[in-house]
Amino acid sequence: MYKILVVEDDESLGRGLQFALQKEGFEVNLARTLSEGKSYFYSTKNDLILLDVMLPDGNGFEFCKEIRKESDIAIIFLTACDEEVNVVLGLDIGADDYITKPFRVRELISRIKAILRRSEKINKMHTNSIKCNDLVFYSFERKLIKNGKEIMLTTMEYKLIDMFLNNPMRILSRNNILEKLWDLNGEFVDDNTLSVYIRRLREKIEDDASHPQYITTVRGIGYKWNKRCS
């Protein structure tokens, strides 16, 4: 069963959407404020978010940007802001669709199903995992499991672990890592910041971060993922 998070401050519209989506077989979490939406996003697993732009305690555009730093979850803006500049902004910051009010419920449901089918197809294309001792990494899902328990990763930690696991037993220079992180994230990452990211990642994956077994330092050069993977 797909789970949908609806973030909508109009109570009657929110309840109407919840009823219509539940009739289609979806499980629905309904939030009337941005803070409630964030609480649901960070505490429950959802497959798609219907997100209003103008909310009593914040802006849906900013929430979308925040989500995209952590997740590739499908997002549809559902809003009365119908100016072209708002539509373009919503899509540019990572939304999968932008629907203006008033709208037809059947059309909305069709778009939701189309996006979910596309997401499911992509997921099936990226089911391969990388196993390394007690770690299992699912790249497309951005999920790292250690001894059966999920380790929560930030966007930068995900990019680092993905880089290391796809280059096991290979020395990666600090400059090479910095260039790739900068290209991928669109932000400047300096040498000191990289050291902080490496330390934090070690604290999450190593049994003893002060004596790392996975990410080892090659002095004067960079780092090496010191385990073979399958």
Side-chain angles (χ1 to χ4, degrees), residues 64-76:
C64 180
K65 292 178 185 177
E66 181 179 330
I67 291 170
R68 281 292 171 256
K69 293 178 181 178
E70 305 289 336
S71 171
D72 289 323
I73 186 173
I75 299 173
I76 298 177

Side-chain angles (χ1 to χ4, degrees), residues 102-161:
F103 56 87
R104 297 181 178 88
V105 174
R106 295 309 311 172
E107 180 184 349
L108 171 63
I109 291 173
S110 293
R111 292 200 193 187
I112 288 172
K113 289 181 177 179
I115 288 172
L116 290 174
R117 283 196 301 270
R118 189 161 62 244
S119 297
E120 185 176 16
K121 183 177 180 180
I122 293 173
N123 283 333
K124 287 180 179 179
M125 293 170 61
H126 295 83
T127 53
N128 290 335
S129 61
I130 300 176
K131 190 174 187 308
C132 191
N133 287 20
D134 56 0
L135 295 174
V136 182
F137 181 58
Y138 300 89
S139 178
F140 187 76
E141 294 177 288
R142 298 192 175 197
K143 184 183 293 185
L144 181 66
I145 307 295
K146 180 179 173 69
N147 293 324
K149 295 182 179 180
E150 183 175 357
I151 297 174
M152 302 307 296
L153 299 173
T154 65
T155 298
M156 195 62 71
E157 289 166 351
Y158 158 77
K159 294 182 188 303
L160 278 170
I161 201 80

